């Protein structure tokens, strides 16, 4: 944004990686630049379906992650789970809503591998912001 005016910027932003909200998001809002948030599910870990012992196939970016990093992620996810009230929403839906609750975020790019996951992600846009953890 210092040397030009992009229409949009794509950035990693999720419940675990919030640093973009500190400086980038306020500036983007002030300059009318849209934010495209990628990895709102933290490579699937915010869905709650992976453990420190999960194994990923060769070719999957998570295959190369050190086990210590994966264990650290899982510990952080446990904290996320505690902030989510039991109810009708899935962890994935709450994670996506958390990102969409940011005024600077125009759109998210959640990953999905099945039609069911796609439907779950689409339903998120209809949810109230009141379900978002802090």
């Amino acid at each position: 944004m210092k040397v030009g005016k992009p229409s949009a910027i794509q950035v990693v932003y999720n419940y675990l990686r919030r640093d973009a909200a500190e400086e980038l998001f306020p500036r983007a809002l002030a300059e009318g630049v849209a934010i495209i948030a990628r990895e709102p599910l933290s490579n699937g870990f915010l869905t709650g379906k992976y453990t420190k012992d999960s194994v990923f196939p060769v070719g999957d970016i998570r295959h190369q992650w050190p086990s210590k990093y994966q264990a650290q992620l899982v510990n952080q996810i446990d904290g996320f789970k505690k902030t989510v009230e039991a109810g009708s929403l899935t962890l994935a839906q709450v994670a996506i809503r958390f990102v969409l609750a940011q005024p600077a975020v125009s759109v998210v790019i959640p990953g999905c591998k099945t039609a069911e996951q796609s439907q779950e992600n689409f339903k998120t846009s209809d949810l109230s912001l009141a379900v978002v953890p802090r």
Side-chain angles (χ1 to χ4, degrees), residues 16-83:
L16 303 178
R17 294 185 59 191
R18 305 181 199 188
D19 40 329
E22 294 174 23
E23 291 183 35
L24 178 62
F25 287 7
R27 183 151 182 204
L29 277 172
E31 298 198 22
V33 176
I35 296 292
I36 302 167
R38 66 184 180 95
E39 298 181 28
L41 301 175
S42 191
N43 298 99
F45 277 83
L46 285 171
T47 65
K49 71 179 189 178
Y50 298 118
T51 70
K52 65 179 181 60
D53 299 316
S54 293
V55 177
F56 300 96
V58 174
D60 186 311
I61 191 171
R62 299 166 294 187
H63 176 77
Q64 298 178 10
W65 289 356
S67 58
K68 271 184 136 179
Y69 176 70
Q70 189 164 316
Q72 179 186 13
L73 261 182
V74 170
N75 286 337
Q76 290 177 301
I77 302 312
D78 288 341
F80 172 71
K81 287 179 185 177
K82 290 176 185 171
T83 67

Side-chain angles (χ1 to χ4, degrees), residues 4 13-14 20 40 70 72 117 120:
Y13 183 74
N14 58 54
Q70 189 164 316
Q72 179 186 13
Q117 289 172 345
E120 179 181 350

